[in-house]
Amino acid sequence: MIKKQKQFLGAVFILMLGLFINLATPLSVSAEKGTESDPYMITTDVTYAPFEFKNADGNYVGIDVEILDAIAQDQGFAYELRPLAFSAGLQALESNQVDGMIAAMSITDERKESFDFSDPYFEAGTVMAVAKNNDEVTSYEDLDGKTVAVKVGTTGAAFVAELSKEFNIDVNQFEDSATMYEDVVAGHSDAVFDDYPVMAYAVQQGLQLQFPLDPEAGDVYGFAVNKDQNPELLEKFNAGLANIKENGIHEEITTKYTGEDSEAAISSNGFLALIQNNYKELLTGLGRTLVLTLISFGIALVAGVILGLFSATSNKLLIGISSIYVTIMRGIPLIVLAFFVYFSIPQFLNIQLSAYVAGVITLSLNTTAYISELVRGGIQAVAVGQLEAARSLGLPYQTSMRKIILPQAIKIMIPSFINQFVITLKDTSILSVIGIVELTQTGKIIIARTYSSGNMWLIIGIMYIILITILTKLSNMMERKMSND
């Protein structure tokens, strides 16, 4: 039995070492970048209709996506979309995690310091919107003493920052447009600033907003690459953009989403209709959540048990290793750890990590610390006198732990392990910030095209409650079974 355990732990160690070596090996620059086997990685904000969003069929559509696709076909290059929140997309581009970014991104002098831009492909201005029943805010002067919602990193946020120099404005910042609009409709913010085509699309979908003022002078949008990186991709984009403007495809795409005869269809967004129209997408997101949790928890279980045993020994070095790891990991918020793993580590080691791998690493590192403490607590919960009695009978320390202490400690730990599994499952929702399309991110994507956040978050909440209730019942059953043994 001992031999099999050692063989198992050895195999796990070799697999983890191989994974680390594979991830830590710098990627070579391919001469065939942009082919099917090595496509360009392009990030976009898929919660920004009508420029980029996921339709009911699960396909990425919108002005940006269709322009990029038309240019790729014209220039004969392959690409892969990597959805991220706008601010996270900027970080991914800066850290060379992606090759380019197209997300209704305004070309500004400040951004030109960090990125190289294509020729402009769209022009749109910032506009202020208020709730349909709000007749108090009809000018910028009326914002004095009011609260304004903005999206992080956008020109709308920059515009409000300038207004704040003249008026006393409180600012609520959001990562996606749909949540920002709902904040205004709910009355938490008095006004919102965003690009006119985006809010016009939202109003077209039935969102209760109105425009008291005309849009500001237009900003121009461009495709971006990191400074002095991927010049050939930028050249292809510009050449393709010129071609699709000349042959009329560009106008067809923009008219499709912004013209009077726009194809934007208003669908029923009631509670049952949302379930009926999106249940496949929601179940897929739930499946990804479970797989991500199982893989991360499995890795953390092995590493956490080892660290927990370290803390239960009399070896000061092993105790110190365990204590330092637990202190560091419990002290770092999970969202900070996710950003560090996904953005900072690739920069330090000159590697690329997929969002899914970064998510597994993040959850595993975090959960390992808590499992380690559960193991330590379980061992300490067994009366010290039992170990002393075993040693007094001449049993070695390892045998005493294996035969007497650990069997009792495991009974104590199992229910806590299941509770930790539940916590890890809920923590997966935080990983949506790095683009993992689990259950929470799936909800955001659906909200982006339906603008029905109230019903959708209720559906997501019910799904989590059902799943976690099942796991809690399982934990209680196992606890009762062990108590009767």
Side-chain angles (χ1 to χ4, degrees):
M1 182 69 180
I2 306 279
K3 186 176 179 181
K4 288 183 178 180
Q5 289 176 342
K6 289 181 177 179
Q7 288 175 343
F8 172 74
L9 291 175
V12 171
F13 175 77
I14 291 171
L15 285 172
M16 293 177 69
L17 181 62
L19 176 63
F20 176 79
I21 293 172
N22 182 55
L23 293 175
T25 303
L27 297 177
S28 59
V29 178
S30 172
E32 299 295 328
K33 188 71 173 175
T35 61
E36 291 292 339
S37 59
D38 188 14
Y40 289 115
M41 291 293 172
I42 310 296
T43 185
T44 187
D45 181 355
V46 293
T47 60
Y48 203 56
F51 288 94
E52 46 266 333
F53 62 101
K54 213 174 186 182
N55 64 17
D57 297 324
N59 300 317
Y60 294 120
V61 295
I63 296 172
D64 286 354
V65 177
E66 295 189 26
I67 284 177
L68 176 62
D69 193 54
I71 290 173
Q73 290 184 33
D74 181 84
Q75 294 295 300
F77 66 81
Y79 70 92
E80 181 180 320
L81 281 180
R82 183 171 290 183
L84 288 168
F86 187 83
S87 58
L90 293 175
Q91 295 176 63
L93 186 58
E94 261 189 315
S95 60
N96 292 316
Q97 285 291 86
V98 294
D99 299 301
M101 179 171 181
I102 185 166
M105 187 174 176
S106 299
I107 302 174
T108 64
D109 292 336
E110 185 179 7
R111 286 176 180 163
K112 284 181 180 179
E113 295 177 5
S114 302
F115 310 110
D116 292 326
F117 283 93
S118 68
D119 297 331
Y121 66 84
F122 195 88
E123 182 176 349
T126 298
V127 69
M128 178 179 75
V130 298
K132 201 79 170 178
N133 58 359
N134 186 343
D135 17 6
E136 294 181 6
V137 179
T138 58
S139 66
Y140 296 146
E141 288 79 7
D142 295 333
L143 294 176
D144 194 49
K146 297 290 196 299
T147 301
V148 172
V150 298
K151 185 177 176 181
V152 176
T154 61
T155 51
F159 187 83
V160 171
E162 289 299 316
L163 286 178
S164 297
K165 296 177 181 178
E166 188 176 354
F167 307 109
N168 178 27
I169 298 175
D170 290 327
V171 179
N172 286 339
Q173 301 194 53
F174 296 87
E175 287 287 347
D176 65 271
S177 295
T179 306
M180 178 172 67
Y181 301 158
E182 290 290 348
D183 193 66
V184 178
V185 173
H188 303 307
S189 294
D190 299 290
V192 56
F193 282 76
D194 206 354
D195 295 336
Y196 176 73
V198 179
M199 281 205 282
Y201 178 88
V203 171
Q204 189 181 50
Q205 295 300 302
L207 199 64
Q208 297 299 300
L209 292 176
Q210 61 176 327
F211 306 110
L213 298 172
D214 292 332
E216 292 293 317
D219 294 319
V220 289
Y221 297 162
F223 174 79
V225 297
N226 204 5
K227 196 73 175 177
D228 301 323
Q229 301 287 327
N230 293 304
E232 77 290 341
L233 175 57
L234 207 57
E235 291 175 7
K236 291 176 183 177
F237 189 94
N238 284 333
L241 178 61
N243 290 341
I244 66 171
K245 282 185 174 180
E246 185 177 347
N247 61 26
I249 293 177
H250 181 275
E251 185 178 358
E252 288 179 12
I253 293 171
T254 55
T255 303
K256 175 180 176 181
Y257 289 98
T258 62
E260 292 182 1
D261 297 326
S262 167
E263 292 184 7
I266 301 176
S267 58
S268 175
N269 294 331
F271 183 84
L272 294 178
L274 281 173
I275 296 175
Q276 182 179 356
N277 295 333
N278 302 287
Y279 73 93
K280 291 182 180 178
E281 203 171 343
L282 289 168
L283 291 176
T284 300
L286 179 62
R288 289 197 187 103
T289 295
L290 285 170
V291 171
L292 181 61
T293 305
L294 287 168
I295 294 174
S296 302
F297 193 82
I299 295 171
L301 189 59
V302 175
V305 168
I306 293 172
L307 280 178
L309 292 175
F310 281 3
S311 65
T313 67
S314 57
N315 187 304
K316 292 184 178 180
L317 176 61
L318 297 181
I319 292 173
I321 292 172
S322 177
S323 177
I324 291 171
Y325 180 89
V326 170
T327 300
I328 292 174
M329 288 301 154
R330 291 177 68 178
I332 301 176
L334 189 60
I335 190 170
V336 175
L337 183 61
F339 281 134
F340 177 79
V341 171
Y342 190 54
F343 297 122
S344 299
I345 289 180
Q347 283 184 297
F348 295 153
L349 300 180
N350 190 29
I351 61 174
Q352 285 190 346
L353 288 178
S354 70
Y356 207 87
V357 171
V360 169
I361 293 172
T362 300
L363 277 182
S364 299
L365 289 173
N366 178 265
T367 307
T368 293
Y370 290 95
I371 289 180
S372 171
E373 287 296 275
L374 292 178
V375 172
R376 183 181 64 83
I379 292 173
Q380 291 180 347
V382 179
V384 178
Q386 296 196 38
L387 179 61
E388 294 174 348
R391 297 302 302 277
S392 68
L393 292 173
L395 292 175
Y397 176 82
Q398 291 183 351
T399 303
S400 301
M401 287 292 293
R402 187 175 70 254
K403 295 290 187 179
I404 297 173
I405 305 301
L406 288 180
Q408 298 178 72
I410 288 172
K411 287 186 178 181
I412 299 170
M413 290 186 283
I414 289 295
S416 298
F417 281 167
I418 296 178
N419 289 334
Q420 183 58 48
F421 183 87
V422 169
I423 293 171
T424 303
L425 185 145
K426 291 190 290 186
D427 284 345
T428 59
S429 62
I430 296 175
L431 299 180
S432 63
V433 298
I434 60 173
I436 296 178
V437 188
E438 39 65 69
L439 184 55
T440 301
Q441 181 72 347
T442 300
K444 289 180 181 178
I445 290 171
I446 295 171
I447 290 169
R449 68 169 178 265
T450 62
Y451 290 97
S452 182
S453 61
N455 284 330
M456 181 47 60
W457 288 129
L458 178 60
I459 292 168
I460 298 291
I462 290 173
M463 292 179 72
Y464 273 117
I465 289 171
I466 292 172
L467 181 59
I468 290 169
T469 299
I470 293 172
L471 290 171
T472 302
K473 294 294 184 183
L474 176 63
S475 173
N476 294 337
M477 287 173 57
M478 292 186 69
E479 193 171 2
R480 285 195 299 270
K481 184 178 180 181
M482 289 184 171
S483 299
N484 295 330
D485 287 347

